[in-house]
Amino acid sequence: SRALKVDGCSGTSRHPLRPASSPMSPSLPTQARLKQASELSLLQKELGYSFSDASLLVRALTHVSYDRERSAGHNEVPEFLGDAVLDLAISDLLIRSFPDKSEGDLSKMRAALVNSTVLAEKAALLNLGRLLRLGKGEERSGGREKASILAGAFEALLGAVYRDGGYEAARCIIDRYFAGDVKKRRLG
C-alpha cells in the first residue's frame, strides 16, 4: 500500500475497512458477480476507504455509454461533484505546501495538477480502466484506455467518496495521490 501521512491524514478512512455491501446486479452470472465484487474490494483497499453505500462506487465506475436510458445510473453527476472536491482539496494542499505563493502561481500549479492527463494517470494507478462499465461502442473503441474517460472516472470516484464519507475522506485520498506531485514542485 502507498499510505502517505499528510497533515494528520494517513490516506485511510477514519473507519476501519468494513465489508462492502454487494453492489452487483442479480442478472450477472454468479462467478462474474463474485469477480467484480472482489475487484471492487481490492480498489477500496487500495484507496484505504470502504464504501458504506457500494452503489455509489458502482455508479462512479459506470460511464454514460453503459446506460443511456437511466440518467441516474452513470457517473456524470459524481464526476461533476468530484471535480469541485478535487479543486478545493488541491487548492488547500497547495496553500499548505506553498503559503507564500501568489494566487496566480497557485492557480498555475493547480491547473498543472488537475488536468485530464494527470487524472488519467491517477486512474491508471488504481486500475480503474478494467473496472469501468462501458457501453458496447466505447468498449470496442478502446474506452478503457481513453484519458478523458479515465479522468472522468477518477473524478467520479472522488465525488462518490465525498457523498459516502464526506469531505475529509475525499481530501485524504486526494492528499495521498497528489502529495508526491506537490512535493516535486517544491523541490523543483
Side-chain angles (χ1 to χ4, degrees):
S1 179
R2 292 186 289 267
L4 176 66
K5 188 162 178 64
V6 180
D7 290 342
C9 181
S10 65
T12 60
S13 64
R14 293 180 190 258
H15 307 288
L17 286 175
R18 52 194 174 264
S21 59
S22 178
M24 304 309 116
S25 145
S27 63
L28 287 175
T30 302
Q31 190 172 12
R33 280 198 321 255
L34 291 174
K35 182 180 180 207
Q36 189 176 11
S38 173
E39 289 176 346
L40 293 177
S41 292
L42 287 173
L43 172 60
Q44 291 175 89
K45 188 175 250 182
E46 175 61 28
L47 286 173
Y49 181 81
S50 184
F51 282 81
S52 294
D53 182 352
S55 71
L56 293 169
L57 175 57
V58 172
R59 182 175 178 187
L61 298 171
T62 303
H63 187 259
V64 66
S65 66
Y66 184 80
D67 190 358
R68 293 197 184 274
E69 301 298 312
R70 294 180 16 213
S71 63
H74 58 75
N75 68 3
E76 285 184 337
V77 172
E79 179 183 343
F80 171 78
L81 181 59
D83 177 59
V85 171
L86 182 61
D87 275 349
L88 176 60
I90 291 291
S91 296
D92 181 56
L93 179 59
L94 288 170
I95 289 168
R96 285 184 279 128
S97 299
F98 304 100
D100 297 327
K101 290 286 184 184
S102 71
E103 179 268 341
D105 289 339
L106 293 168
S107 291
K108 288 176 191 171
M109 286 189 276
R110 183 180 62 203
L113 291 170
V114 182
N115 61 60
S116 62
T117 301
V118 173
L119 299 180
E121 290 169 2
K122 303 301 181 191
L125 285 173
L126 292 166
N127 294 310
L128 292 186
R130 69 180 165 76
L131 297 174
L132 291 174
R133 294 168 39 161
L134 300 172
K136 291 175 185 169
E138 281 298 343
E139 191 73 64
R140 282 191 298 267
S141 69
R144 292 184 189 285
E145 288 84 35
K146 288 183 182 175
S148 61
I149 291 176
L150 290 170
F154 185 77
E155 288 178 325
L157 181 62
L158 296 174
V161 169
Y162 172 79
R163 293 272 319 272
D164 190 69
Y167 175 73
E168 187 61 19
R171 186 191 67 80
C172 285
I173 291 169
I174 293 164
D175 278 2
R176 181 175 176 204
Y177 282 90
F178 285 89
D181 300 310
V182 170
K183 185 176 181 181
K184 286 179 195 171
R185 293 187 170 284
R186 196 174 345 168
L187 298 174

